[in-house]
Amino acid sequence: MNEEIEVEINAEPTKTFFVDMLTRDIPLEQAILDLVDNSVDGAKSMIVNKERPFEGRRVEIQFNKDHFKIFDNCGGFSKAVAAEYAFRFGRPSSAPRSAHSIGQFGVGMKRALFKFGHQFSVRSATTTETWEIDINVPDWEAAKGWHFPWGAFSADATISNAKPGTEIIATALRPEVGWKFSTTNFKNQIVSLIKSKHRQFIAGGMQISVNGTHVTATDLLLLASQDGKLKPGVESFIFTTSGKAPVSVKIIAGIGNSAPKEAGWYIACNGRVILAADRRPETGWGFIEDESNTLAIPNFHNQFARFRGIVTFDSADSAQVPWNTTKTDVDQDSPVWQNAFGRMLEMMRPVITFLNDLDKDIDEHTRDESPLNQFVAAANTVRHEDVTGEKAKSSFIAPARGALVKKQRTVKIQYSRPVEDVTLLMDEFGVTSAKAVGELCFDAILDQRK
């Protein structure tokens, strides 16, 4: 009788399979944003001036059909971090976490590098050390083990102990990647995404450029009146879970200028925008009340082009804020999101009601004659960062339909007459301007006609 030799079953993934699965579902645009996120996290560790926390920090991105390069002067990271954590596929539980970081899941840099092509180098310098790796992906896939070998640091004027930062270069690009990198449309798309997703950091002084184009910050603006009759609603609260870092949440709901593409909810986690102008059921649009089976919040249409909602989540532990692994959507199973979602609906409802009333007022009086529309058009704009509530929760305030007096329309009258005739009438009426003469003459004729 032959004894069977027991052999352990090998369930270890192949590198090629792992790389393909890791990169398959992430868009190229998001891969670039992940690298910018890492630079932002480095910059967060260098904050000195709270008014302009990212002043002096810069990120430069360059790409074409042959290569991709990103450089930052955001402090670099140590050889120990590179050896133990930065290139691991996933974040070990022992990995140190930067407070309020946005590079949460430990996959962004690796996913981007493998997404781009078949050759990449990463080098970094802190104030005390330098290191570099240079990886040929096919050779690495064929070799045993999952380690990346160290390379020799190539010193130049870009990064050094005196100028700490990180530089990443990818070459031997995948054909589809090289083609996209060669198009102006893709470059414009990256500029637009960085402008939207990293707006808080750019506004705080960070300089980001894409193929030489400087990226400017966008402002999220709401309308408010000086007399206090129009004010966004604001609610701030702290969400706590036993044994975990708390999450600070701020919800703002109000109106802005009429712009369908800008209307909707904006969601940011630790300063990183994950949803912009979102108008899906996931953020409450078309919400149906379960108990009554009635439509509590309508689906979005251009009648609500003035709606602006902003929700910010901030936590020292980035694992507690409600984003998905690609930072492209919310994690709807997150307790903090579920808690915030109910409050979003509550704050959204009065804004929707007002916009319905505004639409009815315009239908009745026309857009130019509507008292409500005239009132809204005269309101001031305010940055959402400057919107504060008088208490933990302040409701949206807006005038009721019919509460405003319709403004009388006026027209400017201009005409010319001989100077001596105008001077004669100025003496006759005892006034000192040609304008006053014209107004008195108009009023005199009008009185005769009444």
Side-chain angles (χ1 to χ4, degrees), residues 247-283:
V247 182
S248 299
V249 185
K250 183 178 181 180
I251 305 172
I252 303 173
I255 64 171
N257 292 324
S258 183
K261 290 184 178 181
E262 298 176 13
W265 282 102
Y266 293 76
I267 313 296
C269 293
N270 281 1
R272 165 70 143 80
V273 176
I274 59 173
L275 293 177
D278 194 272
R279 302 181 285 270
R280 302 172 302 151
E282 284 78 1
T283 53

Side-chain angles (χ1 to χ4, degrees), residues 48 70 116 128 158 183 214 251 253 260 269 273 308 332 378 394 408 415 439:
V48 176
I70 181 170
F116 293 161
T128 58
T158 307
T183 65
H214 179 69
I251 305 172
C269 293
V273 176
R308 300 291 188 277
Q332 295 186 60
S394 301
Q408 188 176 41
Y415 56 89
E439 289 173 343

